[in-house]
């Protein structure tokens, strides 16, 4: 059995105190002691040696750093004794302790950063609270790549507040510019350490995307944020739709269902609040849904097709299918479309049939024909 050894430094036995602060205080004391010795030595050399004040300062500094150019040297006994004491006490002892403490502080800081216990000085950043139960690393990487693709968020810092990575973030997440603090979102001290009050956006992920009971933890975190008047910056994941009204009463800006395979929806909810409602609606048949219509397209522009469907109350055209079975999204508005199908966002309660869509397009063709004829008559009259 090993005997208890005396600690290298006194603060090692004071685990309840912050190590970084203690090291900084000790370095400050060492620097003050060093400055006092240097000033004393300069005064001694200036008074007892045939040197000017500048020459005394120069000799003291070259002695302190053990350079010893030899251009000046003490000639009196008092000057020589004080110089020897300066070399042993200041140059050898104090400087060695200062360098040692600096290295120790760097190792301490690195260990705290890796284990998520370093408190960063952050502002206007994004705080993500909790980690997906599975696939968290991939989710965060995709979230970071999506948010970085937006010019306004290209360099925004991202802070993870989670207990998921006690040994440090994976290298891939660090390369994405992410940092983390090891803590829970329902811990006020952890929220303070993550600087949520200075965050631009706060995201609270569901601890278990398949368990409605995880909404309880999410609600607790959202309530704490709301108490600090941070609800208008907060986006939360809500597993059960029945709990949405509870988050709404807290003043939470945005709440969405957990969609782990599409972090892009979360990104939209953060940078363009409200757009997530449209995206969520496309994933269910409650109100609207994308519907495919197989029909021939050959003589209308995309702007004509969109206008025809909207005018006849059918829905909103999202894309078309060309003859190579490629789905074309966002085609040029004034270019004639050639394809064999349409993707239309229609009402789930009354989904129009393909014949209704064909009839709407035919009517629009008749409208365009008459309009062109009128345009031709007007040109003839003007001529």
């Amino acid at each position: 059995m090993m005997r208890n050894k005396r600690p290298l430094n006194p603060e090692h036995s004071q685990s309840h105190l912050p190590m970084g602060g203690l090291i900084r205080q000790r370095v400050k004391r060492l620097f003050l002691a060093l400055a006092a010795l240097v000033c004393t030595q300069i005064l001694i050399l200036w008074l007892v040696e045939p040197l000017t004040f500048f020459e005394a300062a120069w000799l003291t500094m070259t002695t302190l750093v053990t350079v010893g150019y030899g251009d000046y040297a003490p000639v009196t006994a008092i000057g020589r004794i004080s110089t020897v004491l300066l070399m042993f006490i200041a140059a050898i002892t104090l400087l060695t302790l200062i360098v040692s403490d600096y290295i120790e502080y760097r190792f301490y800081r690195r260990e705290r950063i890796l284990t998520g216990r370093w408190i960063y000085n952050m502002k206007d950043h994004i705080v993500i609270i909790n980690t997906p139960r599975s696939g968290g690393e991939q989710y965060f990487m995709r979230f970071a790549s999506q948010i970085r693709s937006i010019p306004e968020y290209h360099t925004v810092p991202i802070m993870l507040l989670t207990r998921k990575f006690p040994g440090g973030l994976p290298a891939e997440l660090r390369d994405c510019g992410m940092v983390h603090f090891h803590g829970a979102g329902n811990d006020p001290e952890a929220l303070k350490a993550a600087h949520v009050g200075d965050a631009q956006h706060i995201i609270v992920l569901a601890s278990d995307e398949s368990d409605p009971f995880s909404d309880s933890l999410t609600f607790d975190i959202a309530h704490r944020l709301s108490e600090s008047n941070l609800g208008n910056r907060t986006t939360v994941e809500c597993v059960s739709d029945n709990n949405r009204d509870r988050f709404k009463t807290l003043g939470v800006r945005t709440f969405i269902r957990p969609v782990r395979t599409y972090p892009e929806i979360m990104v939209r909810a953060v940078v363009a609040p409200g757009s997530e409602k449209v995206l969520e609606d496309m994933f269910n048949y409650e109100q609207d849904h994308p519907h495919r219509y197989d029909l021939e397209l050959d003589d209308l522009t995309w702007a004509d097709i969109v206008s025809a469907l909207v005018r006849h109350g059918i829905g909103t055209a999202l894309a078309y299918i060309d003859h190579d079975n490629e789905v074309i999204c966002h085609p040029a508005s004034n270019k004639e479309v050639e394809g064999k199908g349409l993707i239309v966002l229609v009402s789930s309660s009354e989904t129009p049939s393909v014949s209704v869509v064909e009839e709407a397009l035919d009517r629009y063709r008749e409208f365009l024909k008459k309009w062109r004829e009128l345009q031709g008559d007007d040109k003839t009259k003007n001529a």
Side-chain angles (χ1 to χ4, degrees):
M1 182 176 179
M2 296 182 63
R3 295 182 179 179
N4 293 328
K5 294 184 178 180
R6 184 173 180 270
L8 179 63
N9 294 312
E11 63 267 22
H12 290 165
S13 61
Q14 302 175 12
S15 59
H16 63 287
L17 295 176
M19 177 75 76
L22 288 170
I23 296 177
R24 287 194 298 269
Q25 289 179 7
R26 193 175 66 195
V27 170
K28 184 184 295 185
R29 291 195 299 268
L30 290 173
F31 267 115
L32 290 175
L34 178 62
L37 284 174
V38 170
C39 292
T40 303
Q41 173 67 4
I42 293 174
L43 291 176
I44 292 175
L45 294 179
W46 185 33
L47 294 174
V48 305
E49 298 289 338
L51 300 172
T52 65
F53 182 82
F54 177 78
E55 291 170 345
W58 172 254
L59 176 58
T60 300
M61 297 308 297
T62 55
T63 303
L64 178 66
V65 296
T66 65
V67 175
Y69 288 110
D71 48 353
Y72 299 103
V75 294
T76 65
I78 296 177
R80 290 175 178 177
I81 293 172
S82 65
T83 300
V84 171
L85 292 176
L86 175 72
M87 290 185 62
F88 277 97
I89 297 176
I92 298 177
T93 306
L94 291 181
L95 285 180
T96 301
L97 289 174
I98 290 173
V99 172
S100 174
D101 283 345
Y102 175 76
I103 294 174
E104 182 179 1
Y105 179 77
R106 297 295 297 179
F107 275 107
Y108 165 80
R109 181 177 182 273
R110 181 175 182 274
E111 186 270 337
R112 299 284 289 186
I113 290 175
L114 287 177
T115 57
R117 290 172 174 83
W118 182 258
I119 299 178
Y120 295 88
N121 185 17
M122 280 193 169
K123 190 174 183 180
D124 295 330
H125 55 299
I126 297 176
V127 177
I128 303 178
I129 301 175
N130 293 334
T131 300
R133 185 181 58 174
S134 59
E137 183 177 339
Q138 290 75 16
Y139 180 87
F140 289 139
M141 287 180 61
R142 291 184 61 183
F143 177 90
S145 65
Q146 288 291 318
I147 203 78
R148 301 283 186 223
S149 64
I150 302 170
E152 297 86 346
Y153 294 86
H154 183 64
T155 58
V156 64
I158 301 176
M159 161 76 75
L160 304 181
L161 178 56
T162 176
R163 295 183 181 274
K164 183 69 174 180
F165 306 104
L169 285 180
E172 293 79 7
L173 295 185
R174 295 199 302 270
D175 293 341
C176 293
M178 287 188 171
V179 296
H180 83 300
F181 187 84
H182 186 77
N186 57 353
D187 181 5
E189 292 301 320
L191 292 174
K192 182 179 179 181
H195 294 287
V196 293
D198 296 322
Q200 187 175 358
H201 300 287
I202 306 169
I203 300 172
V204 184
L205 301 178
S207 58
D208 188 340
E209 59 272 19
S210 61
D211 187 0
F213 287 103
S214 65
D215 285 347
S216 300
L217 175 60
T218 305
F219 185 84
D220 183 21
I221 298 172
H223 188 270
R224 295 178 185 276
L225 296 173
S226 178
E227 287 180 331
S228 301
N229 297 320
L230 298 175
N232 59 342
R233 309 182 201 174
T234 304
T235 300
V236 304
E237 286 186 338
C238 181
V239 178
S240 174
D241 290 342
N242 296 328
N243 292 324
R244 292 197 169 205
D245 289 338
R246 299 181 64 201
F247 289 110
K248 189 174 182 179
T249 58
L250 291 178
V252 171
R253 186 185 68 164
T254 308
F255 33 86
I256 64 174
R257 297 186 186 95
V259 184
R260 292 291 175 259
T261 54
Y262 288 98
E264 295 82 358
I265 297 180
M266 178 60 76
V267 172
R268 290 291 98 197
V270 170
V271 302
S275 60
E276 78 285 347
K277 301 294 183 183
V278 179
L279 296 173
E280 273 192 331
D281 194 43
M282 291 183 181
F283 283 88
N284 59 68
Y285 277 75
E286 293 177 2
Q287 297 179 5
D288 304 305
H289 70 276
H291 192 80
R292 172 170 175 155
Y293 293 97
D294 293 319
L295 70 170
E296 195 67 24
L297 304 170
D298 55 4
D299 59 347
L300 292 174
T301 65
W302 183 248
D304 294 335
I305 295 173
V306 173
S307 181
L309 298 182
V310 171
R311 283 174 178 271
H312 290 82
I314 293 175
T316 304
L318 301 177
Y320 76 91
I321 300 97
D322 64 13
H323 292 292
D324 296 325
N325 286 323
E326 292 290 333
V327 178
I328 309 300
C329 301
H330 308 294
S333 59
N334 296 321
K335 184 179 179 181
E336 286 193 357
V337 173
E338 294 185 1
K340 60 180 183 179
L342 279 175
I343 304 295
V344 184
L345 185 65
V346 298
S347 173
S348 299
S349 58
E350 297 179 4
T351 302
S353 63
V354 65
S355 61
V356 174
V357 176
E358 289 176 337
E359 182 181 356
L361 295 178
D362 289 338
R363 288 183 179 181
Y364 201 80
R365 290 187 182 97
E366 290 295 328
F367 165 77
L368 290 176
K369 182 178 179 182
K370 292 179 181 180
W371 181 79
R372 288 165 183 160
E373 289 175 354
L374 290 174
Q375 290 292 106
D377 291 342
D378 289 342
K379 289 181 180 178
T380 302
K381 290 178 181 179
N382 292 333

